[in-house]
Amino acid sequence: MITVTEALDQLFALARPTGVEEVPLIEAAGRILARPVSARRTQPPFASSAMDGYAVVSAAPGDRLTVIGESAAGHRFDRPAAPGEAVRIFTGAPVPAGATRVVIQEDVTRQDSTILIGDRLDSGDNIRPAGGDFAEGAQIDAPRKLSASDIALLASMNIARVPVARRPKVALISTGDELVMPGETPGPDQIIASNTFGLHALLSSEGADPRLLPIARDNQTSLKHAFSLVDDADLVITIGGASVGDHDLVAPVAEELGMQRAFHKVAMRPGKPLMSGRLSGERRVMMIGLPGNPVSAMVCGHVFVLPVVRVMLGLPPVAAPRLRAPLARVLGQNGPREHYMRATLTEEGLIAFDRQDSSLLSVLGQANALLVRPPHDPARAKNDVVDYLPL
């Protein structure tokens, strides 16, 4: 068996970026910016007022100034201001040439076409300089996942189309005679296929473009047919049949189809039976074979599949980010495999569930963390600080 870190390294070596496409700005939120973009204008493009008030050349308490015009957002006052003059101005409006400050309206008394500067004169100039936010040519670096704030910034930079990483197309294949689709009536020895639906949701949330292929039955003909439907996928994920039992056909069928298997068993729980490689053909599509137990498949999705998807999106090859928190309860010694325990993070700390069987989706549904135990980790006391993956 190999370690989780070794398995990830081999997966990263197989993963390829999917390339770049341009999308309208309105569709770019949550996408990965594929290359740096530069501002096409300066913001603000002119000195503008930060407050409602009066633009003046100079002002002192007791000064009386003549109001000569008005500057509003979108409608500047074209004439320069001279000493003894004031221009009524509103927030965001261009500051007239010659004006050095904006006196806020609370500091003046207006009568007809004159204003009187009061005794409590604001000390600031209340002017936003041209380029105070950013200048033309300023860059947003890549790669990065575009947030709502990024989208607002791109809009202000006058960028209408954004270069983003193409969403990886992921084909999901469940295997097993025991499976039927949700909504169907299972036979006496059958269960509902759940893994592909959980992985579909997980992949979609990370920016991939997953699709479900028909369930492959436990025979080579059905499995080969499922592989024939892969089409233009960038990644194929099989669920189940990745172990070494008599009915575990994924590895031999994939190898018959030309896959060069990269690894098979990983020293982790849940999720020991896991493999990867490339299928034959011109595109040499990457494949990951996940275990069939529901929790195992989902844990491997967090630990292996999501980091691979991020590499395909052009992000750095790094493991799923871990956080640290104290234990709220004691834990016994761990065994020889890295253990991803379903747990809840509370105000007191992490609490691992008593039941850790890899078939228990109800426990995974209650968990908000995977508590990570290194191999042979000794017994842990309450308040010991440990690693976890947030769910």
Side-chain angles (χ1 to χ4, degrees):
M1 289 191 292
I2 62 176
T3 67
V4 170
T5 300
E6 290 169 335
L8 269 173
D9 287 341
Q10 293 194 43
L11 284 169
F12 290 151
L14 290 168
R16 295 173 179 167
T18 52
V20 181
E21 63 181 0
E22 284 197 351
V23 298
L25 177 62
I26 197 69
E27 299 175 9
R31 302 293 295 271
I32 302 300
L33 185 67
R35 56 175 178 257
V37 292
S38 300
R40 296 174 178 171
R41 68 193 305 272
T42 294
Q43 178 68 14
F46 44 75
S48 63
S49 178
M51 304 288 286
D52 291 343
Y54 294 85
V56 301
V57 176
S58 62
D63 283 354
R64 188 175 295 276
L65 307 174
T66 301
V67 180
I68 61 171
E70 179 179 288
S71 183
H75 302 280
R76 70 171 58 235
F77 181 73
D78 286 330
R79 220 190 79 191
E85 295 179 335
V87 176
R88 179 70 168 124
I89 196 167
F90 299 94
T91 303
V95 175
T100 62
R101 66 174 296 168
V102 172
V103 180
I104 63 174
Q105 59 190 21
E106 291 84 356
D107 288 347
V108 307
T109 301
R110 179 162 181 173
Q111 186 175 14
D112 298 327
S113 62
T114 64
I115 59 170
L116 177 66
I117 306 297
D119 293 336
R120 297 182 178 180
L121 184 61
D122 188 299
S123 60
D125 64 14
N126 299 311
I127 293 176
R128 295 168 178 156
D133 193 358
F134 56 82
E136 183 177 354
Q139 281 196 343
I140 298 179
D141 293 329
R144 63 186 290 158
K145 188 172 185 177
L146 293 171
S147 66
S149 298
D150 292 326
I151 298 302
L153 178 58
L154 287 165
S156 68
M157 288 178 164
N158 200 24
I159 296 171
R161 295 186 64 82
V162 186
V164 297
R166 180 175 61 78
R167 296 184 189 275
K169 298 177 181 179
V170 184
L172 295 167
I173 306 174
S174 280
T175 68
D177 287 343
E178 75 278 13
L179 301 177
V180 298
M181 294 293 281
E184 296 180 355
T185 301
D189 301 320
Q190 291 185 307
I191 59 174
I192 308 299
S194 59
N195 296 338
T196 43
F197 288 86
L199 289 166
H200 190 285
L202 193 64
L203 289 161
S204 296
S205 69
E206 198 60 34
D209 179 16
R211 67 176 186 269
L212 271 60
L213 298 187
I215 295 171
R217 301 305 172 186
D218 287 327
N219 61 77
Q220 293 199 5
T221 300
S222 180
L223 194 53
K224 287 179 181 178
H225 175 68
F227 277 114
S228 73
L229 301 176
V230 166
D231 293 331
D232 59 349
D234 302 293
L235 172 64
V236 177
I237 297 177
T238 60
I239 303 100
S243 192
V244 291
D246 292 342
H247 299 283
D248 295 318
L249 301 176
V250 172
V253 169
E255 288 178 344
E256 186 178 335
L257 295 174
M259 185 185 83
Q260 298 176 347
R261 188 166 62 189
F263 63 85
H264 195 181
K265 296 179 181 179
V266 183
M268 66 181 293
R269 56 183 293 224
K272 176 183 173 183
L274 187 145
M275 61 182 177
S276 183
R278 285 197 176 281
L279 299 175
S280 64
E282 182 179 344
R283 297 179 60 248
R284 302 290 294 154
V285 177
M286 182 179 177
M287 176 190 150
I288 301 176
L290 300 182
N293 278 324
V295 175
S296 300
M298 292 301 292
V299 168
C300 288
H302 285 280
V303 175
F304 297 118
V305 177
L306 291 191
V308 165
V309 167
R310 292 176 190 128
V311 170
M312 289 181 160
L313 288 168
L315 296 173
V318 295
R322 297 183 181 185
L323 303 177
R324 291 176 64 77
L327 289 172
R329 295 180 186 171
V330 298
L331 280 178
Q333 182 178 357
N334 188 37
R337 290 186 283 163
E338 189 165 282
H339 195 182
Y340 293 82
M341 304 183 72
R342 278 67 74 201
T344 53
L345 180 63
T346 69
E347 291 182 359
E348 291 76 29
L350 284 164
I351 301 174
F353 285 93
D354 293 330
R355 300 193 301 161
Q356 292 290 327
D357 189 279
S358 59
S359 66
L360 302 178
L361 280 175
S362 60
V363 174
L364 182 65
Q366 298 173 63
N368 61 10
L370 293 174
L371 194 165
V372 185
R373 304 289 308 279
H376 305 291
D377 192 39
R380 295 286 186 166
K382 182 179 178 180
N383 294 325
D384 280 359
V385 177
V386 296
D387 290 343
Y388 74 94
L389 299 181
L391 294 179

